[in-house]
């Protein structure tokens, strides 16, 4: 009993620290609520898209005039996609000067990976496993966006994803809840800083709550059907970590989770988030997700959808325009309570006070600051630094890389080699088109070699003008291949830049076939016929299927969509001025048939003899494909090599209240300084609910000079061994554990202990 009390006390204390209330702010919020009419309260719960840009289905004609009118009447609490000091000042001025109470707007924006200066897509940044750098990247993005009038980002996306067909894998941290949680914390702290009212900090948003990354068959917006075990052990941990790190907002998701649209899910939003986790910020719906409950077949009509959403814990309505239309009559009819409306409004006003918007609604609106900060040296250098750290070396046969700096004839080939758009990736709404440094430009900085460029396969315009310049990779025009082959024939080395164009991954961009799109595979094979010295540089927003390339191409570099500084970062890695140290945050499958694929699978009853075929077909496998991925989670090479000692455990029994220290000595055995991500995995052998075959539970990024070694220690305690068990309780269960420490999720180096 005493122990239980202590546990509850600590949980409570922990939550208090995470989501502390400021009494001064609370009394201001209460005083303001007391003055507000019901219309004004509902207005605070209403979020409109700006009139300049959209990230979802376009609003109906005529909406804009009505929206302006509502803004002036105090019926709008927030706007999104309004950006730049001039635009923000225009709408803020209406809210502050024309409405009765002058409540400022909170201005939201999808600051997913940088503002005007674009940093690597989140999946790429996650491949750095470098938490300080990820935090710094979010900090710089916040600084640039805050100078342009924005005070709230719809990031980080913390959805765990196991299916590379889903286009939004580019927006998250990959497949692992432990890595995902650490990255969620880093991003929240980066965006929000120590004090939200400081000029360069903005409110963050953990999204999409919850389960969106488990969209069935990887098809965006599709249904999600997962049990409580997966929900609590895999999906929720990064959200909990974000809440504990003090994230000020949550966004719910488009999907239904086990039959309930998340937008109306009381269990998620009211019981778990607001009650168990003590979250005191606010929840915004996803774009139109309140209205979409009608299409889900969950709400009868718009009014019913509004009722279900508020009851379910959605505090702000993004672009459904339903709260403003129906909440008042729902209240009059007794279908919702004024206390529910007050609670939502209190949460929204609280965050506005914390941002300092009441003190100075124009604190984000300073033209001089906007000019000084946008594209500043500090921010551009930060984007370059993050880009280099995000690159993963997948293969380097016979040390083809790094390239020699002199007297080489290099052919640079591929549709993405000179492309100044694709490296910007998806979700780069504020960036100028054509503003990335292409690899061709990056390579030109190295003047000692002769460089020839051939596109090989053309990019074709898909959407000629408009919001985004979209292209496609040619599927039927072979005409450029011959020139590329000729260029390769006469070169010492060929660098081929292939992958996905910038908008081929992202929201609404699911793919059923995740190989190299268009004629790129034909181009690769044609070039290989005449020159086998190929370095394949990949640009993509998701794991791709690369079996042929892995078998034939000597060097493969995963460079994702790296943002504004892409070409410089890749060139520096190719030439060895930066030694790559990235590790994959998602498994790369061998074929789509393996999906979803992830390293932390549960044990089956038929794992196969010695993990392989024992001659019988009656084990969990495919008749025509291996079980293993092509490249496992956590995998990545370096231009140097590392050796690991055996694992030392401080004890092989863990008694109550004790920790075990697991250590290894890691040595740089090559001849270049390099960084290694030392990874700790644990296996819980038997428990009240089936456990994964192994789970990441720690990692450390260590830099070592040639010949240098370092002892790396991990503390293993009960908290690390806890999981959501068959009784629905987070606890560690007694039994046998194996510790693995090594260079990726396949590591065989192990030791064991018993938990008493
Ligand atoms: C996306 C969100 C995004 C919102 C606003 C939606 O379509 O799912 O992630 O924040 O649009 O742009």
């Amino acid at each position: 009993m005493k122990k239980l009390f202590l546990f509850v006390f600590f949980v409570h204390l922990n939550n208090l620290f995470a989501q502390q209330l400021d009494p001064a702010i609370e009394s201001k919020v209460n005083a303001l609520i007391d003055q507000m009419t019901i219309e004004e309260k509902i207005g605070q719960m209403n979020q409109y898209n700006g009139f300049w840009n959209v990230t979802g289905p376009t609003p109906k004609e005529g909406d804009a005039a009505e929206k302006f009118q509502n803004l002036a009447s105090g019926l709008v609490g927030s706007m999104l996609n309004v950006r730049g000091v001039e635009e923000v000042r225009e709408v803020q001025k209406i809210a502050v000067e024309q409405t009765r109470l002058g409540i400022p707007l909170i201005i939201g924006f999808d600051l997913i990976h940088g503002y005007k200066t674009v940093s690597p897509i989140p999946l790429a940044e996650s491949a750095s496993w470098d938490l300080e750098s990820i935090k710094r990247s979010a900090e710089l993005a916040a600084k640039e966006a805050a100078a342009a009038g924005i005070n709230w980002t719809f990031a980080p996306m913390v959805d765990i994803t196991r299916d590379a067909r889903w286009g939004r894998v580019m927006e998250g941290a990959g497949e692992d809840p432990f890595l995902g949680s650490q990255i969620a914390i880093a991003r929240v702290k980066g965006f929000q800083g120590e004090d939200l009212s400081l000029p360069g900090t903005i409110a963050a948003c953990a999204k999409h709550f919850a389960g969106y990354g488990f969209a069935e068959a990887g098809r965006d917006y599709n249904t999600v059907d997962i049990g409580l075990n997966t929900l609590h052990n895999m999906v929720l941990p990064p959200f909990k970590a974000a809440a504990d790190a003090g994230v000020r907002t949550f966004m719910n998701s488009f999907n239904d989770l086990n039959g309930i649209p998340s937008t109306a899910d009381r269990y998620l939003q009211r019981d778990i988030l607001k009650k168990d986790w003590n979250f005191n910020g606010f929840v915004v719906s996803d774009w139109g997700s309140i209205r979409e409950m009608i299409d889900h077949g969950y709400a009868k009509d718009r009014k019913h959808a509004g009722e279900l959403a508020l009851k379910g814990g959605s505090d702000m309505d993004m672009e459904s325009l339903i709260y403003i239309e129906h909440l008042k009559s729902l209240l009059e009819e007794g279908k919702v309570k004024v206390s529910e409306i007050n609670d939502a409004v209190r949460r929204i006003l609280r965050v506005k006070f914390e941002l300092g918007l009441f003190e100075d609604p124009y604190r984000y609106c300073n033209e001089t600051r906007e000019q000084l900060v946008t594209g500043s040296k500090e921010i551009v250098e930060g984007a370059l630094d993050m880009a280099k750290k995000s690159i993963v070396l997948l293969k380097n046969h016979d040390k083809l890389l790094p390239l020699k700096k002199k007297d080489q004839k290099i052919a640079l080939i591929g549709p993405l080699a000179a492309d100044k758009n694709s490296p910007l990736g998806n979700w780069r709404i504020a960036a100028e088109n054509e503003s990335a440094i292409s690899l061709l430009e990056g390579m030109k900085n190295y003047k000692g070699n002769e460089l020839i460029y051939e596109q090989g396969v053309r990019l074709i315009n898909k959407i000629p003008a408009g919001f985004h310049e979209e292209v496609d990779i040619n599927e039927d025009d072979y005409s450029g291949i011959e020139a590329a082959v000729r260029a390769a024939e006469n070169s010492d080395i060929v660098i081929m830049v292939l992958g996905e164009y910038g908008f081929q991954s992202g929201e609404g961009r699911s793919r059923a076939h995740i190989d190299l799109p268009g004629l790129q595979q034909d181009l690769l094979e044609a070039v290989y016929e005449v020159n086998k010295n190929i370095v394949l540089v990949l640009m993509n927003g998701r794991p791709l299927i690369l079996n042929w390339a892995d078998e034939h191409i000597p060097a493969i570099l995963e460079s994702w969509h790296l943002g504004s500084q892409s070409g410089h970062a890749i060139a520096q890695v190719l030439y060895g001025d930066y030694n790559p140290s990235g590790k994959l945050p998602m498994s790369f499958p061998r074929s789509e048939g393996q999906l979803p694929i992830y390293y932390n699978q549960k044990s089956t009853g038929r794992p196969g003899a010695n993990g392989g075929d024992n001659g019988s077909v009656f084990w969990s496998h495919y008749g025509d494909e291996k079980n293993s991925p092509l490249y496992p989670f956590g995998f990545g090479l370096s231009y140097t090599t590392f050796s690991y000692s055996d694992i030392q455990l401080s004890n092989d029994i863990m008694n109550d209240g004790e920790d075990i220290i697991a250590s290894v000595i890691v040595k740089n055995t090559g001849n270049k300084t390099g960084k290694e991500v030392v990874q700790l995995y644990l296996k819980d052998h038997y428990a009240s609910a089936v456990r994964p075959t192994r789970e990441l539970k720690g990692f450390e990024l260590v830099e070592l000079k040639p010949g240098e070694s370092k002892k790396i220690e991990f503390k293993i305690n009960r908290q690390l061994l806890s999981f959501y068990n068959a009784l629905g309780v987070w606890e560690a269960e007694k039994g046998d554990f194996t510790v693995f420490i090594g260079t990726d999720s396949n590591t065989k180096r192990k030791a064991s202990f018993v938990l008493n």
Side-chain angles (χ1 to χ4, degrees):
M1 182 60 207
K2 196 168 143 208
K3 235 197 255 166
L4 181 71
F5 171 75
L6 265 182
F7 175 73
V8 172
F9 175 75
F10 277 124
V11 169
H12 192 61
L13 205 67
N14 180 26
N15 286 339
L16 269 186
F17 280 128
Q19 299 272 329
Q20 247 170 6
L21 293 178
D22 176 339
I25 288 186
E26 291 312 293
S27 67
K28 287 183 199 162
V29 169
N30 288 331
L32 185 53
I33 288 191
D34 284 348
Q35 296 175 51
M36 293 169 80
T37 63
I38 192 66
E39 286 83 1
E40 284 164 340
K41 288 178 184 173
I42 294 169
Q44 286 303 304
M45 300 164 69
N46 178 32
Q47 184 187 50
Y48 279 159
N49 185 61
F51 318 115
W52 297 273
N53 216 338
V54 285
T55 50
T58 320
K60 293 191 302 284
E61 269 187 30
D63 279 355
E66 188 188 321
K67 284 176 170 181
F68 261 120
Q69 182 51 46
N70 285 343
L71 186 55
S73 311
L75 301 180
V76 184
S78 171
M79 294 195 71
L80 77 149
N81 288 328
V82 180
R83 61 197 159 94
V85 167
E86 203 186 320
E87 283 181 12
V88 172
R89 189 190 290 282
E90 189 180 330
V91 291
Q92 195 66 292
K93 211 162 177 270
I94 302 176
V96 172
E97 292 179 17
Q98 296 185 30
T99 68
R100 191 178 74 94
L101 293 170
I103 301 175
L105 298 166
I106 177 169
I107 304 289
F109 192 79
D110 287 284
L111 184 70
I112 308 297
H113 53 117
Y115 185 64
K116 281 250 187 255
T117 310
V118 181
S119 47
I121 56 168
L123 186 67
E125 289 196 356
S126 305
S128 72
W129 296 53
D130 183 336
L131 300 174
E132 268 312 305
S133 300
I134 293 172
K135 178 172 168 231
R136 175 87 181 131
S137 177
E139 204 172 280
L140 291 174
K143 192 170 178 179
E144 199 178 40
I150 285 146
N151 38 53
W152 174 25
T153 173
F154 305 128
M157 183 189 102
V158 303
D159 296 314
I160 296 299
T161 58
R162 296 168 163 181
D163 194 329
R165 290 173 296 184
W166 191 52
R168 298 194 83 166
V169 303
M170 52 88 40
E171 255 179 272
E175 74 192 38
D176 183 69
F178 183 86
L179 179 63
S181 299
Q182 303 300 313
I183 291 176
I185 296 167
R187 291 199 166 125
V188 168
K189 296 205 158 154
F191 288 129
Q192 297 193 165
E194 294 297 315
D195 180 352
L196 262 194
S197 71
L198 293 176
T201 57
I202 60 177
C205 178
K207 71 185 190 186
H208 303 85
F209 199 57
Y212 187 37
F214 280 67
E216 210 166 85
R219 206 179 71 226
D220 207 359
Y221 317 124
N222 203 5
T223 188
V224 174
D225 206 328
I226 52 175
L228 285 180
N229 183 298
T230 299
L231 178 69
H232 284 272
N233 287 313
M234 295 293 158
V235 172
L236 294 184
F239 287 102
K240 170 77 162 66
D244 287 348
V247 74
R248 299 317 288 130
T249 71
F250 265 60
M251 183 187 292
N252 52 40
S253 52
F254 290 125
N255 58 284
D256 79 274
L257 176 66
N258 305 327
I260 314 287
S262 299
T263 307
D265 195 328
R266 288 186 204 204
Y267 173 63
L268 280 178
Q269 302 185 133
R270 291 217 180 267
D271 297 351
I272 296 180
L273 178 62
K274 292 179 179 174
K275 197 161 132 265
D276 294 353
W277 298 355
N278 194 27
F279 170 72
N280 59 34
F282 68 90
V283 179
V284 63
S285 80
D286 203 345
W287 180 295
S289 69
I290 299 183
R291 179 183 37 75
E292 287 178 15
M293 291 197 289
I294 305 168
D295 295 305
H296 274 290
Y298 189 71
K300 177 171 169 271
D301 51 24
R302 289 173 63 81
K303 191 168 180 180
H304 188 209
E307 176 189 341
L308 292 167
L310 181 63
K311 290 278 179 199
S314 294
D315 301 312
M316 187 181 274
D317 170 1
M318 181 194 286
E319 269 294 324
S320 285
L321 286 62
I322 284 182
Y323 278 180
I324 191 169
E325 196 177 304
H326 292 294
L327 273 192
K328 192 173 171 209
S329 52
L330 283 166
L331 180 68
E332 285 160 1
E333 290 161 24
K335 297 218 168 100
V336 301
K337 296 189 201 130
V338 73
S339 58
E340 288 162 342
I341 293 178
N342 282 347
D343 177 59
V345 177
R346 183 171 286 113
R347 290 166 179 276
I348 294 164
L349 293 177
R350 179 179 293 144
V351 176
K352 291 188 178 183
F353 272 107
E354 290 169 356
L355 284 165
L357 286 169
F358 282 92
E359 259 166 53
D360 177 6
Y362 303 108
R363 68 186 312 142
Y364 294 84
C365 297
N366 175 332
E367 281 83 356
T368 318
R369 178 169 137 219
E370 184 178 32
Q371 263 187 357
L372 283 176
V373 173
T374 308
S376 69
K377 188 163 175 275
E378 180 194 28
I379 293 176
V380 171
E381 282 175 1
L384 175 60
D385 182 60
M386 191 72 247
K388 289 189 279 193
K389 291 172 172 164
S390 305
I391 293 173
V392 186
L393 180 63
L394 294 176
K395 190 175 171 193
N396 195 17
H397 188 64
D398 279 345
K399 296 195 177 161
L400 190 60
L401 288 174
L403 302 173
K404 298 189 186 76
K405 288 190 175 160
K406 273 208 307 229
D407 306 328
Q408 298 280 296
K409 208 165 163 187
I410 298 182
L412 181 67
I413 295 174
L416 304 176
D419 187 11
K420 290 172 69 60
N421 264 328
S422 289
L424 299 172
N426 205 331
W427 282 124
R428 28 97 162 189
I429 323 174
E432 301 294 334
N433 277 326
E434 307 274 335
S435 61
I437 305 289
S438 70
L439 183 53
L440 177 61
E441 290 169 315
M443 293 290 287
K444 282 185 179 162
N445 288 338
Y446 292 85
K447 308 219 185 295
N449 288 331
E450 191 185 328
L451 187 68
I452 329 164
Y453 158 68
E454 281 296 337
Q455 196 176 24
V457 172
R458 273 186 314 120
L459 292 173
I460 36 181
N461 281 340
K462 209 159 114 181
I463 299 177
F467 178 35
H468 292 310
E469 300 268 329
E470 295 216 23
V471 295
D472 217 340
I473 295 173
N474 207 325
E475 291 184 355
D476 51 20
D477 178 0
Y478 290 81
S479 62
I481 295 187
E482 203 191 314
V485 169
R486 270 201 311 274
E489 227 164 16
N490 299 319
S491 299
D492 299 304
I493 195 151
V494 185
I495 296 171
M496 301 207 55
V497 192
L498 308 178
E500 297 184 310
Y501 67 84
F503 286 110
Q504 207 148 18
S505 43
E507 188 180 346
R509 320 289 161 127
S510 296
R511 294 177 60 204
H513 308 284
I514 54 168
D515 44 10
L516 291 171
L519 296 180
Q520 296 182 99
Q521 183 67 30
D522 302 66
L523 174 67
L524 183 60
E525 292 185 27
V527 168
Y528 181 78
E529 283 291 309
V530 298
N531 192 336
K532 303 206 166 9
N533 272 341
I534 298 178
V535 177
L536 172 59
V537 174
L538 295 163
M539 288 187 183
N540 45 305
R542 55 152 69 80
L544 296 176
I545 289 173
L546 301 164
N547 302 326
W548 189 92
D550 180 66
E551 204 180 305
H552 297 89
I553 304 300
I556 306 179
L557 199 66
E558 175 54 79
S559 76
W560 317 101
H561 293 138
L562 285 182
S564 306
Q565 292 295 304
S566 172
H568 289 320
I570 302 170
Q572 288 180 28
V573 167
L574 289 174
Y575 274 107
D577 288 339
Y578 190 85
N579 188 354
S581 56
K583 302 273 190 176
L584 296 178
M586 271 188 95
S587 308
F588 273 44
R590 295 174 193 273
S591 68
E592 291 92 354
Q594 291 181 311
L595 295 171
I597 190 167
Y598 48 98
Y599 82 95
N600 48 1
Q601 307 166 11
K602 287 181 187 137
S603 307
T604 68
R606 298 207 172 179
N610 305 318
D613 193 351
N614 57 4
S616 140
V617 296
F618 302 113
W619 62 287
S620 178
H621 76 303
Y622 303 100
D624 55 359
E625 186 56 279
K626 291 181 179 163
N627 282 6
S628 63
L630 181 64
Y631 303 121
F633 173 82
F635 173 75
L637 304 169
S638 162
Y639 293 151
T640 191
T641 46
F642 299 97
S643 72
Y644 281 72
S645 71
D646 287 343
I647 300 171
Q648 298 292 324
L649 293 186
S650 60
N651 203 338
D652 54 11
I653 295 177
M654 189 191 278
N655 291 312
D656 232 3
E658 290 176 1
D659 299 333
I660 286 182
I661 305 294
S663 60
V664 285
I665 295 172
V666 182
K667 183 173 182 191
N668 182 341
T669 48
N671 53 15
K672 286 192 167 58
T673 297
K675 283 186 275 182
E676 166 74 333
V677 181
V678 182
Q679 300 163 41
L680 166 83
Y681 296 86
L682 295 177
K683 175 178 165 76
D684 183 350
H685 284 262
Y686 56 93
S688 63
V690 174
R691 306 287 292 123
T693 44
R694 61 175 64 184
E695 290 180 291
L696 182 75
K697 288 293 174 183
F699 60 90
E700 193 173 322
L701 181 64
V702 54
E703 184 168 45
L704 297 172
K705 298 197 181 72
E708 195 187 355
S709 49
K710 190 173 172 198
K711 185 172 182 185
I712 308 290
E713 294 187 338
F714 294 102
K715 183 155 91 179
I716 303 172
N717 55 24
R718 288 185 104 80
Q719 200 195 343
L720 213 58
L721 306 178
S722 301
F723 70 106
Y724 183 88
N725 69 11
L727 298 172
V729 179
W730 271 91
E731 62 185 357
E733 293 183 5
K734 290 179 182 174
D736 300 336
F737 288 82
T738 300
V739 179
F740 301 90
I741 302 180
T743 188
D744 61 44
S745 60
N746 261 348
T747 183
K748 304 276 183 295
R749 189 171 304 98
K750 61 183 184 182
S752 44
F753 69 90
V754 175
L755 175 68
N756 265 336

